[in-house]
Amino acid sequence: MKLYSYFRSSAAYRVRIALNLKGLPYEMESIHLTKDGGRQFSDTFRAINPQMRVPALELSGGEVLTQSLAIIDYLDEVFPDPPFLPAEALDRARVRSAAQIVACDIHPLNNLCVLRYLKRNLDQEQAAIDTWYHHWVIEGFNAIEKMIEQVNVSGPYCFGSHVTLADICLVPQVFNARRLKVPLDAFPKIVAVEAACLKLPAFDKARPENQPDAE
Amino acid sequence: MKLYSYFRSSAAYRVRIALNLKGLPYEMESIHLTKDGGRQFSDTFRAINPQMRVPALELSGGEVLTQSLAIIDYLDEVFPDPPFLPAEALDRARVRSAAQIVACDIHPLNNLCVLRYLKRNLDQEQAAIDTWYHHWVIEGFNAIEKMIEQVNVSGPYCFGSHVTLADICLVPQVFNARRLKVPLDAFPKIVAVEAACLKLPAFDKARPENQPDAE
């Protein structure tokens, strides 16, 4: 398998974690999102993913999968061990809901292309962009922190003693939040989950700073 | 089951379609997103969904599920007929990817709370907000239109003769696009899928204009 990735893309970071947790070896091709005006917009990459975004996963048969959550669900279905979701439908729905707060509510607003639009098309200053960024992270993290409290398990991960899709989505979002200096004091549960996850080699190897294309 | 809904919320619209397709009866409680400064922010609703968003689905046992895609996956797991996803993992990933272009890339940027932020916090005029709206819809629809072309089935739905999660997400987004006057001439496949879906009672009954709280 070949992963089209960028060290700082948090959606690509999710897929790197998932591949590592499943113990799947993969080749990586870095798609630099800012050099040359963004290499995701090149004709070569557009032929791979018409949406011009990373990650994209090329399977051994040549098929290309896009959208990080769809890729992760695929990996979980084809390589079920260890599972990313609990066995019971209700528990699965809770895990998915937490993951989707990151993937559908926080991250889309903090995506590079959105921040660029705010700057270039709406003439926003960096301070206003940072405030925007913090706003959506804090709103989403408030909900996730409360969810982890309500689950009321002893940890160390979002939903107990097994890593789930929620952790796979949360850790890259915390990385992003730290990079943009979002204060995390109000989120002790989230910070504890992040620390527990990063002790696992699958997460550690996937960290942006441990990628060959890290700057 | 009880669905907390708002006629115009496209995420709630997805869940209404899903419930109808499964033939599941449900009670509906309307949460008006603009009256009284937004009733999703009331203490009563905050206790139901701390994220203060619709939809939320209360199960007969009292458990509350949040996030539209997590709710739809739950319904599909517990009530498997008719299935919202194809049988093969690779096909499932393609359907999920198309659905997530709507749910993770288009809709989060066009959400009411985001449009409000642009207006109130970033002092944007309506024209600039409309341009923003159109931009993200067109970018996402370009990718979905190309995906439907590549699937190369004879329709009438996104992925062939069976309704999938992709259709469930796409139709509400097309409704939104029409409401905000996004030109759809460049998306003949998407428009044809919408027309085919709206012929089905499950979609028709779920339409915003057919809701008891429609204005």
Side-chain angles (χ1 to χ4, degrees):
Chain A
M1 286 189 289
K2 182 179 186 174
L3 178 67
Y4 295 89
S5 175
Y6 179 58
F7 76 108
R8 211 180 257 155
S9 154
S10 80
Y13 187 178
R14 293 174 200 154
V15 176
R16 295 194 301 259
I17 296 168
L19 286 162
N20 293 343
L21 283 167
K22 296 292 187 187
L24 296 167
Y26 63 95
E27 189 188 338
M28 201 175 80
E29 182 165 331
S30 173
I31 304 297
H32 203 294
L33 298 186
T34 56
K35 265 191 199 155
D36 306 329
R39 288 184 184 156
Q40 70 276 30
F41 303 120
S42 69
D43 290 345
T44 325
F45 190 67
R46 189 191 297 242
I48 293 159
N49 180 8
Q51 221 196 340
M52 298 171 277
R53 297 191 178 207
V54 294
L57 184 68
E58 196 173 302
L59 304 178
S60 51
E63 307 89 348
V64 175
L65 303 183
T66 58
Q67 289 287 340
S68 63
L69 293 190
I71 295 172
I72 294 170
D73 272 331
Y74 172 85
L75 294 174
D76 203 30
E77 288 179 358
V78 177
F79 307 97
D81 192 42
F84 293 156
L85 291 169
E88 293 299 323
L90 196 59
D91 297 331
R92 294 161 73 84
R94 296 225 168 89
V95 170
R96 284 198 172 110
S97 180
Q100 287 164 17
I101 293 177
V102 173
C104 304
D105 293 335
I106 304 176
H107 177 250
L109 296 164
N110 295 345
N111 210 318
L112 183 62
C113 58
V114 174
L115 304 182
R116 267 190 190 152
Y117 191 105
L118 290 173
K119 189 180 182 121
R120 296 181 189 169
N121 302 50
L122 300 183
D123 278 328
Q124 295 298 310
E125 302 285 340
Q126 194 54 47
I129 296 174
D130 289 348
T131 304
W132 160 281
Y133 195 104
H134 287 210
H135 176 83
W136 303 112
V137 172
I138 288 169
E139 198 166 86
F141 276 11
N142 275 332
I144 295 175
E145 184 78 10
K146 209 158 281 171
M147 270 184 136
I148 303 176
E149 273 170 36
Q150 283 174 349
V151 175
N152 194 21
V153 290
S154 55
Y157 309 117
C158 285
F159 287 87
S161 55
H162 292 282
V163 167
T164 66
L165 181 64
D167 305 295
I168 294 172
C169 290
L170 184 58
V171 168
Q173 188 61 61
V174 178
F175 163 79
N176 266 5
R178 287 189 190 283
R179 195 164 73 85
L180 276 283
K181 301 193 171 41
V182 179
L184 297 174
D185 310 341
F187 311 113
K189 302 253 179 213
I190 290 176
V191 169
V193 164
E194 184 209 25
C197 288
L198 289 177
K199 281 187 194 144
L200 303 173
F203 281 78
D204 185 60
K205 274 200 293 181
R207 293 174 83 145
E209 56 270 39
N210 293 339
Q211 300 315 299
D213 59 344
E215 281 158 16
Chain B
M1 286 190 289
K2 182 179 186 175
L3 179 66
Y4 295 90
S5 176
Y6 179 59
F7 76 107
R8 210 180 257 156
S9 154
S10 81
Y13 187 179
R14 293 175 201 154
V15 176
R16 295 194 302 261
I17 296 167
L19 286 162
N20 293 344
L21 284 167
K22 296 292 187 187
L24 297 168
Y26 63 94
E27 188 188 338
M28 200 176 78
E29 183 166 330
S30 173
I31 303 297
H32 203 295
L33 298 187
T34 57
K35 263 190 200 156
D36 305 328
R39 287 182 183 158
Q40 71 277 29
F41 302 119
S42 69
D43 289 345
T44 324
F45 190 66
R46 190 192 296 245
I48 292 159
N49 180 8
Q51 222 197 339
M52 298 172 276
R53 297 190 180 208
V54 294
L57 184 69
E58 196 173 302
L59 303 179
S60 50
E63 307 89 348
V64 175
L65 302 184
T66 58
Q67 289 287 338
S68 62
L69 293 190
I71 295 171
I72 294 169
D73 272 332
Y74 172 86
L75 294 173
D76 204 30
E77 288 179 358
V78 176
F79 307 98
D81 192 43
F84 293 157
L85 291 169
E88 293 298 322
L90 196 60
D91 297 331
R92 295 161 75 84
R94 294 224 169 89
V95 170
R96 284 198 173 111
S97 180
Q100 288 164 17
I101 292 177
V102 173
C104 304
D105 292 336
I106 304 176
H107 177 251
L109 295 164
N110 295 345
N111 211 317
L112 183 61
C113 58
V114 173
L115 304 182
R116 268 189 189 153
Y117 190 105
L118 289 172
K119 188 180 183 120
R120 296 181 189 170
N121 301 51
L122 301 183
D123 278 328
Q124 295 299 310
E125 303 285 343
Q126 194 55 48
I129 296 174
D130 289 348
T131 304
W132 160 281
Y133 195 104
H134 287 210
H135 175 82
W136 303 112
V137 172
I138 289 169
E139 198 165 85
F141 277 10
N142 275 331
I144 295 175
E145 184 78 10
K146 208 158 284 171
M147 269 182 135
I148 302 177
E149 273 171 34
Q150 282 173 348
V151 174
N152 196 19
V153 290
S154 53
Y157 310 116
C158 284
F159 287 87
S161 55
H162 293 282
V163 166
T164 65
L165 180 65
D167 305 294
I168 295 173
C169 290
L170 184 59
V171 168
Q173 187 61 60
V174 177
F175 162 80
N176 266 3
R178 287 189 190 283
R179 196 165 71 87
L180 276 283
K181 301 193 170 40
V182 178
L184 296 175
D185 311 339
F187 311 114
K189 302 252 178 213
I190 290 175
V191 169
V193 164
E194 184 209 25
C197 287
L198 290 177
K199 282 187 194 144
L200 302 173
F203 281 78
D204 185 59
K205 273 200 293 182
R207 291 173 84 142
E209 56 269 39
N210 294 339
Q211 300 315 298
D213 59 343
E215 281 159 15

